[in-house]
Amino acid sequence: MVGQYIVSCMQMARSAEIGLFIHRYELIMIIFFSISALVQVMISILCTTIALKHVTGITKLNKLIFPVSLLLGAFGYWVVEDHIRAMDLLTYYWPIMANPIGLGLPLLIFLLGFFFQKK
């Protein structure tokens, strides 16, 4: 049931009736959610910048952080601008892209490490 909520810890706190002894617990839940969202965005920008650095051959990350942030931000706003488009992306296209990456990439790295290990 928790997987159906965007802020699952908030629903669990409501179900446990934490508000009976901790007042204004909503702010604590929002802080936890905001910090985790901030860390996810920062790691996403960093990983994208490092990948683009290796693709383009640029040596300094500082030159790429701002363009990558603008590119990811523009794409994010474009996706969520239309609710139907966002739901279609998450329902139909994202699993098709994420499953091979999430399952195939670790397997590929393991196999390459197995074949190219130092003797």
Side-chain angles (χ1 to χ4, degrees):
M1 191 72 173
V2 173
Q4 296 177 357
Y5 297 104
I6 293 173
V7 186
S8 60
C9 57
M10 181 71 107
Q11 185 59 35
M12 288 190 311
R14 284 185 188 143
S15 299
E17 296 180 3
I18 292 177
L20 297 176
F21 54 92
I22 298 177
H23 300 287
R24 304 304 299 166
Y25 69 92
E26 297 93 1
L27 294 176
I28 297 170
M29 298 299 154
I30 290 171
I31 289 170
F32 287 148
F33 179 72
S34 300
I35 290 172
S36 67
L38 177 66
V39 169
Q40 280 182 328
V41 168
M42 290 180 352
I43 294 298
S44 173
I45 290 172
L46 178 66
C47 291
T48 307
T49 304
I50 291 172
L52 193 62
K53 176 187 134 185
H54 288 294
V55 168
T56 60
I58 295 175
T59 57
K60 291 191 173 188
L61 285 177
N62 298 343
K63 295 179 181 178
L64 292 174
I65 289 177
F66 188 68
V68 164
S69 301
L70 287 177
L71 184 68
L72 290 178
F75 178 71
Y77 276 114
W78 176 76
V79 168
V80 299
E81 185 179 34
D82 184 17
H83 182 72
I84 302 297
R85 178 176 39 221
M87 290 297 107
D88 282 345
L89 177 74
L90 291 176
T91 304
Y92 301 113
Y93 302 110
W94 187 250
I96 294 171
M97 292 184 291
N99 283 333
I101 292 171
L103 299 173
L105 191 61
L107 183 63
L108 177 68
I109 291 172
F110 175 74
L111 290 174
L112 287 175
F114 181 73
F115 287 122
F116 294 114
Q117 65 183 345
K118 293 182 180 180
K119 304 264 179 190

